[in-house]
């Protein structure tokens, strides 16, 4: 299963997180760390709340994301699978570029150009996130092209 298919399975095309609250906490921690390796508790809370604006998450038995972050224990089982898929996709992309050059056609490994359902889903989700998150100017230009 490709990375994008894996992500779309986790989130579902209805934008409902299909894991436990503890898996959601781990996913938000993973995203916060990818954005800033030294993220603060406040940044984590912001990520958790922003992600809930673009997808439905059942946090029961926790009251809200803050309660989950303060009292929950992260379950990294899903994040480990996601990270493995990210590394696999990066290795395929690097191999294609090493063989065919930096401007190689990356096919479905190019999330920005692929028409695979998972890629379209990922682009739409990032576009929706951009209404709540300030990306760099370069990333904003790429989003405008979507």
């Amino acid at each position: 299963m490709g990375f994008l298919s894996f992500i779309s399975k986790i989130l579902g095309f209805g934008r409902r997180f299909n894991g436990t609250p503890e898996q959601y906490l781990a996913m938000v921690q993973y995203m916060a760390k990818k954005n800033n390796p030294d993220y603060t508790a406040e940044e984590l809370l912001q990520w958790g709340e922003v992600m809930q604006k673009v997808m439905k998450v059942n946090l029961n038995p926790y009251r809200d994301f803050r309660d989950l972050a303060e009292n929950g224990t992260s379950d990294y089982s899903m994040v480990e699978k996601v990270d493995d898929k990210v590394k696999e996709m990066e290795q395929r992309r690097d191999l294609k570029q090493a063989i065919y050059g930096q401007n190689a056609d990356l096919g479905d490994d190019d999330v920005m150009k692929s028409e695979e359902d998972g890629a379209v889903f990922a682009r739409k989700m990032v576009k929706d996130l951009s209404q709540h998150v300030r990306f760099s100017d370069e990333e904003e230009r790429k989003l405008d092209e979507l």
Side-chain angles (χ1 to χ4, degrees), residues 3 8-9 28-29 31 35 37 40 51 61 66 74 81 89 95 100 107 114 119 121 125 128 130 132-133 137 145-146:
F3 171 69
S8 60
K9 180 180 177 186
V28 172
Q29 289 170 326
M31 293 177 71
N35 184 60
T40 65
M51 291 301 295
R66 178 180 295 275
S74 304
K81 291 177 185 176
M89 189 170 77
L95 180 60
Y100 302 110
S114 174
F121 173 84
M125 185 153 177
D128 291 348
S130 72
H132 309 284
V133 177
D137 290 342
E145 295 172 9
L146 295 179

Side-chain angles (χ1 to χ4, degrees), residues 72-136:
T73 302
S74 304
D75 175 354
Y76 292 99
S77 59
M78 188 183 297
V79 169
E80 289 168 354
K81 291 177 185 176
V82 168
D83 199 46
D84 288 345
K85 293 293 183 182
V86 167
K87 288 175 184 169
E88 178 185 316
M89 189 170 77
E90 288 172 348
Q91 288 172 343
R92 280 196 315 268
R93 186 182 61 228
D94 291 347
L95 180 60
K96 285 179 183 177
Q97 289 178 329
I99 294 170
Y100 302 110
Q102 287 299 314
N103 296 324
D105 179 1
L106 302 176
D108 284 337
D109 290 331
D110 186 343
V111 177
M112 296 303 285
K113 295 180 182 174
S114 174
E115 290 304 318
E116 185 179 299
D117 288 343
V120 172
F121 173 84
R123 288 193 302 266
K124 177 147 179 36
M125 185 153 177
V126 170
K127 185 76 168 171
D128 291 348
L129 277 172
S130 72
Q131 296 174 23
H132 309 284
V133 177
R134 173 75 173 117
F135 292 103
S136 71

Side-chain angles (χ1 to χ4, degrees), residues 10-77:
I10 290 171
L11 299 178
F13 284 104
R15 295 252 184 101
R16 177 175 298 282
F17 184 74
N18 292 324
T20 66
E22 293 80 10
Q23 288 172 327
Y24 178 71
L25 174 60
M27 183 189 75
V28 172
Q29 289 170 326
Y30 176 79
M31 293 177 71
K33 186 173 184 175
K34 284 285 191 184
N35 184 60
N36 175 8
D38 300 317
Y39 68 87
T40 65
E42 188 62 32
E43 287 173 307
L44 179 68
L45 293 175
Q46 288 173 347
W47 271 103
E49 291 168 8
V50 165
M51 291 301 295
Q52 287 180 283
K53 290 180 181 181
V54 297
M55 76 172 100
K56 293 180 179 157
V57 182
N58 180 358
L59 297 178
N60 193 32
Y62 303 96
R63 289 185 311 276
D64 53 23
F65 185 74
R66 178 180 295 275
D67 185 29
L68 171 60
E70 291 173 353
N71 299 307
T73 302
S74 304
D75 175 354
Y76 292 99
S77 59

